[in-house]
DNA sequence: TTGAATGCAAAATATTTGCATCTTC
DNA sequence: GAAGATGCAAATATTTTGCATTCAA
């Protein structure tokens, strides 16, 4: 893909084979990988790459707006090539982090509007949903590591 | 406050002066302190207390449902004696973490309902708002460490 | 008395920095 | 050639575990 090369150059970033692969893997992934995950994947193509290179690369890509970094509450940074704000789902059992597909776009604006009474200047909001993914729900893999049900009225 | 003693005993936790103070400080705080913050505060009363005792205590209190632990994206755990789910505000400039006071209660249910089309079993949702607090907004302390404005329509 | 809590130390995990060498532009 | 990227190593920051001693029930 020449596209990725251009995208990197457009941001003023130099194009190296490692960097190109790191960004390609992230842009093709829906798994919200950690730096370590990316490292393990990139090693398959570049066995001599260092974790440090992966780390610095994802930091650069984030700094230049090509990646989004976030943290689901497990104290590990995760990266996402989809830089527009969008809600995530975190499975309390297997730990997977997914995008909330089919989540209505207007909800975020609704939420932001609800926050507009705050004396703070809101820039963006993170919506993180926690629960059990289709593979874990109903299975014995479920664990109780947070309060059970809070919503009540829905 | 005898109240705290009873609360701890009711959960089957032993009452020690250190533990009582740790919980009292947290229940009286709105600052969402880290374990280190709590440690620094407790030392003023118990100079010989170890960080480890504070750490293990807040872990126990969380395990028994007396504290909520979360993480705002800075890879440090914060603790809150208000264990019911509620939205938080994180200042991009000074780092303070506040409750979103006056935030409409029904928004969380609205959000949860919007998530109900997901194949996942949602247990709870975290709403984290990022921006500039009243003290930092408009001041030179503002920094750009995330995308500027995303909402568009509000 | 007994099991849990405390305190000191060290291990584990993840992030970040330093620096010499190499590569892209 | 110069600025930036890479790779190896070590430093930082935080969380977590081990264990002997102390204390609450």
């Amino acid at each position: 893909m020449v596209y990725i090369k251009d995208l990197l150059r457009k941001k003023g970033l130099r194009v190296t084979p490692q960097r190109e692969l790191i960004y390609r893997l992230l842009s093709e992934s829906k798994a919200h990988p950690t730096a370590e995950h990316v490292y393990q994947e990139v090693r398959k193509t570049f066995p001599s790459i260092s974790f440090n290179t992966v780390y610095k690369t994802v930091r650069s890509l984030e700094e230049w707006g090509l990646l989004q970094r976030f943290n689901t509450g497990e104290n590990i940074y995760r990266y996402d090539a989809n830089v527009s704000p969008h809600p995530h789902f975190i499975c309390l059992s297997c730990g997977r982090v997914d995008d909330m597909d089919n989540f209505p776009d207007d909800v975020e604006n609704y939420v932001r509007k609800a926050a507009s009474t705050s004396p703070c200047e809101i820039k963006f909001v993170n919506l993180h949903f926690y629960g059990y993914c289709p593979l874990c729900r109903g299975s014995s893999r479920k664990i109780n590591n947070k309060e059970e049900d809070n919503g009540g009225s829905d």
Side-chain angles (χ1 to χ4, degrees), chain A residues 91-94 132 139-146 148:
Chain A
C91 181
L92 295 171
S93 178
C94 66
Y132 298 99
S139 86
S140 55
R141 295 158 69 190
K142 281 170 84 162
I143 50 170
N144 289 324
N145 70 355
K146 273 273 187 171
E148 269 309 294

Side-chain angles (χ1 to χ4, degrees), chain A residues 32-124:
Chain A
H32 310 86
T34 65
E36 181 67 28
H37 292 153
V38 176
Y39 173 53
Q40 295 304 337
E41 207 53 37
V42 176
R43 299 182 74 172
K44 295 175 183 171
T45 304
F46 297 105
S48 68
I49 199 172
S50 68
F51 171 79
N52 190 275
T53 296
V54 175
Y55 171 78
K56 282 184 178 166
T57 300
V58 293
R59 294 296 278 137
S60 288
L61 294 175
E62 188 215 350
E63 188 176 357
W64 292 99
L66 292 176
L67 292 180
Q68 177 179 180
R69 182 175 85 164
F70 65 97
N71 163 326
T72 60
E74 49 184 357
N75 274 21
I76 304 175
Y77 287 131
R78 291 175 173 274
Y79 295 88
D80 193 342
N82 176 359
V83 295
S84 64
H86 58 284
H88 292 115
F89 169 81
I90 301 96
C91 181
L92 295 171
S93 178
C94 66
R96 65 183 299 146
V97 178
D98 290 328
D99 287 335
M100 292 284 288
D101 294 324
N102 308 119
F103 192 80
D105 284 338
D106 59 316
V107 173
E108 192 175 308
N109 286 330
Y110 179 87
V111 169
R112 287 167 63 99
K113 202 159 287 176
S116 63
T117 57
S118 159
C120 302
E121 182 183 343
I122 306 294
K123 283 300 185 184
F124 56 97

